[in-house]
Amino acid sequence: MNNGFKESAPTMTLLDIGNVTMRFGGLTAVSEFSDTIAENALVGLIGPNGAGKTTVFNMITGVYTPTVGTITFESRSIAGRKPFQIAHAGIARTFQNIRLFPSLSVSDNVRIGFNRLARNRFAGSIFQLGGYQREEENFTRETDQLLEKFGLLDKRDELARNLSYGDQRRVEIVRAMATRPRLLLLDEPAAGMNPTEKSELMALIRYLRDAFGIAIMLIEHDMKVVMGICERVTVLDYGVKIASGTPEEVKNDPRVVEAYLGESAH
């Protein structure tokens, strides 16, 4: 019976991590970690230094192959695949330490992100074929469109090394977005930012999720950022998941308070 209400479409699982463990010799960095990320989700992964957060990102993106466990993206196994294959599948990331090419312009740094989409490669570039030229023109136009959306178009010709720290972070995110991801992983995006830059970053992350319809998972130590934008937060401690829930649930979980947040969280 139609009661006048429109049923919302079910949310599909985009990424499914199943009981992954990562061992380095006798050291277990992550132990039996499971999590899921739904389409259009905005989630956080937090925990003390050395808790295994970046190791989780590295397993998702193919830097490490899990010792045991499964990782599926859009119902296809990606555990053990190469980083470029995972990027082609639709997962992009930024890094804790900025990895721009400092001697390249902002525009050229972003254009690198389009490499996975290029079809007219070696022969086209050598002989300047029509398809190659049209593709390059399209990438130039899309680069400018992205930079404009991120408020960076006026800096397109500046060398990356001459940008402020906050702008370098934004360029790195723009480059990741140039790969047209379905899932974006941000590793400590607010690191080194001042309060104004952090506020702008929070607005930017929300905009990315809503405007591009992507899922975002972020590692972040700044709890104001995490609690201010994430819909769900997962907590790691010594490689083990100790909590997962809404920011309010996590903030009030005694295990999380003891292991990470401390009494100041209340």
Side-chain angles (χ1 to χ4, degrees):
M1 182 177 70
N2 188 343
N3 58 9
F5 292 95
K6 183 179 179 180
E7 292 186 7
S8 59
T11 302
M12 301 296 291
T13 296
L14 193 62
L15 182 76
D16 190 344
I17 305 170
N19 290 313
V20 296
T21 293
M22 187 72 232
R23 298 190 187 96
F24 300 97
L27 172 68
T28 299
V30 174
S31 179
E32 298 181 353
F33 177 79
S34 295
D35 207 356
T36 59
I37 299 177
E39 291 179 326
N40 211 225
L42 207 173
V43 300
L45 182 61
I46 67 172
N49 288 329
K53 304 180 297 296
T54 296
T55 299
V56 170
F57 270 22
N58 285 339
M59 288 189 287
I60 295 171
T61 56
V63 177
Y64 301 147
T65 298
T67 307
V68 296
T70 61
I71 304 175
T72 59
F73 181 67
E74 294 187 317
S75 301
R76 296 189 297 271
S77 174
I78 59 171
R81 296 178 68 181
K82 302 294 185 184
F84 77 88
Q85 294 173 319
I86 293 172
H88 276 256
I91 299 177
R93 73 176 292 182
T94 64
F95 293 86
Q96 186 174 349
N97 299 313
I98 293 174
R99 297 192 181 182
L100 296 177
F101 294 95
S103 298
L104 294 183
S105 69
V106 167
S107 178
D108 285 340
N109 267 281
V110 174
R111 282 172 62 87
I112 289 168
F114 287 106
N115 280 348
R116 86 168 187 87
L117 308 172
R119 296 181 179 179
N120 298 280
R121 293 179 180 269
F122 184 72
S125 63
I126 293 296
F127 300 107
Q128 296 292 297
L129 302 177
Y132 169 81
Q133 292 177 340
R134 285 191 297 273
E135 189 173 68
E136 287 298 297
E137 290 170 0
N138 288 336
F139 289 158
T140 297
R141 183 171 60 253
E142 289 188 53
T143 295
D144 286 350
Q145 289 172 347
L146 276 174
L147 289 173
E148 185 173 24
K149 287 178 180 177
F150 285 75
L152 291 165
L153 186 58
D154 61 333
K155 295 180 172 63
R156 69 183 311 280
D157 297 320
E158 289 191 31
L159 297 183
R161 64 168 173 250
N162 294 334
L163 297 180
S164 69
Y165 191 87
D167 280 347
Q168 287 186 36
R169 282 282 182 195
R170 285 198 291 164
V171 171
E172 192 172 42
I173 294 172
V174 176
R175 183 175 62 187
M177 291 302 299
T179 68
R180 299 177 190 166
R182 298 267 290 132
L183 171 63
L184 177 63
L185 307 178
L186 302 175
D187 195 345
E188 297 200 33
M193 288 187 173
N194 61 43
T196 299
E197 289 172 331
K198 288 178 182 179
S199 295
E200 292 172 349
L201 175 71
M202 291 169 68
L204 175 60
I205 292 173
R206 291 192 198 97
Y207 169 78
L208 284 175
R209 194 275 298 271
D210 296 339
F212 291 90
I214 63 174
I216 297 175
M217 185 179 198
L218 62 101
I219 293 170
E220 185 52 62
H221 283 291
D222 190 304
M223 288 301 98
K224 184 176 289 187
V225 173
V226 173
M227 301 301 178
I229 61 174
C230 292
E231 301 156 340
R232 180 174 62 82
V233 180
T234 295
V235 188
L236 277 176
D237 187 35
Y238 292 106
V240 176
K241 183 165 82 171
I242 61 171
S244 186
T246 66
E248 193 65 23
E249 290 169 341
V250 165
K251 185 172 68 174
N252 291 293
D253 189 309
R255 294 169 299 176
V256 179
V257 173
E258 180 181 358
Y260 184 49
L261 296 181
E263 294 301 325
S264 61
H266 297 273

